[in-house]
Amino acid sequence: MDVALVVDRLRAAGCVFAEDEAELLVAEAASPGRLEDLVRRRVAGEPLEHLVGWTAFDGLRIAVGAGVFVPRRRTELLVREAAALIRPGAVVVDLCCGSGAVGAALLARQPGIDLHAADVDPVAVRCARGNLPGVPVHEGDLFAALPADLRGRVDVLAANVPYVPTTALALMPPEARDHEPRTALDGGDDGLAVARRVIDGAPEWLAPGGSLLFEAGTAQLPAAVAALTAAGLRPRVVADDERGATVVVGGRGSRLDG
Ligand SMILES: C[S@@+](CC[C@H](N)C(=O)[O-])C[C@H]1O[C@@H](n2cnc3c(N)ncnc32)[C@H](O)[C@@H]1O
């Protein structure tokens, strides 16, 4: 099958970037049979990233297999904001790590950090271990997964939690709805159920002067800011309209704050 035919089939199936996708699928397929299989699955709605096995994120190539959340380009804002807070030797945690994309990007920007990653989903943990060689990737529910000696020592806690309100899951594109795990998307009634648990636990794990960062939707900002304030963390919101991204930062006071 030649590239033009692949483009036609992808375009007919509604793929917006049919040319780019066709190129990637052709490059990935080692035989005509394999290409036919990939095109058929793509037309049926499987995410391109799951089919080719990787995605580009913050200038890196991140492996992402079936059943793992595909890192979104908007999350590069969270990486940028977290990286700005990191000093050499900092203890950094990528909580809810999925493929480990956020941690990998932070490590690439600041190779001197002491990075840990964690996720509740064993499929994600396996994927993150591949993307983060040499980094401890823990499996378990939020902070329960982390080694106890990190308590009170985390300088940057980057947590790209699931934040889609349960009722909005049905409105997501089928690529996400049907091929990404519900645990990676579902943020409960108002989308902040997991974020609230992270906010509540953060003060115990953050070092003095440390920061928690997570993404949120615009409608969730007042509640997210209120939850941070209630937990004793100083809230700050960073938005990037071009990326369609909003990052919420909660800072723990330093020892000098009194
Ligand atoms: C939106 S995805 C983000 C993945 C990755 N950080 C990224 O940006 O590509 C959310 C991730 O949170 C994980 N997760 C959901 N609930 C969790 C929990 N209670 N404890 C740990 N991880 C959880 C999911 O398995 C999923 O990998």
Side-chain angles (χ1 to χ4, degrees), residues 63 85 87 183 200:
L85 297 168
R87 303 285 161 263
T183 19
D200 288 347

Side-chain angles (χ1 to χ4, degrees), residues 31-79:
S31 68
R34 172 79 177 140
L35 181 58
E36 174 58 31
D37 177 53
L38 291 176
V39 172
R40 210 166 352 95
R41 288 163 61 190
R42 181 67 190 122
V43 165
E46 277 189 54
L48 176 74
E49 296 84 353
H50 285 170
L51 293 174
V52 299
W54 64 278
T55 191
F57 182 76
D58 205 42
L60 302 177
R61 189 174 165 132
I62 301 291
V64 56
V68 177
F69 181 86
V70 177
R72 309 296 205 259
R73 298 302 294 263
R74 65 168 172 270
T75 302
E76 290 170 358
L77 177 65
L78 189 148
V79 168

Side-chain angles (χ1 to χ4, degrees), residues 1-10 18-19 21-27 29 31-33 35-36 39:
M1 194 183 345
D2 75 353
V3 183
L5 192 54
V6 176
V7 172
D8 287 348
R9 285 175 65 185
L10 295 178
E19 281 86 359
E21 294 203 8
E23 238 172 73
L24 285 166
L25 291 175
V26 168
S31 68
L35 181 58
E36 174 58 31
V39 172

Side-chain angles (χ1 to χ4, degrees), residues 57 68-72 75 94-102 118-121 124 140-143 159-163 181 183-185 194 197 215:
F57 182 76
V68 177
F69 181 86
V70 177
R72 309 296 205 259
T75 302
D94 178 3
L95 197 64
C96 296
C97 68
S99 63
V102 170
D119 200 285
V120 74
D121 181 347
D141 180 31
L142 298 182
F143 298 102
N160 190 18
V161 297
Y163 62 95
T183 19
L185 305 171
V194 184
R197 291 182 56 214
E215 273 181 21

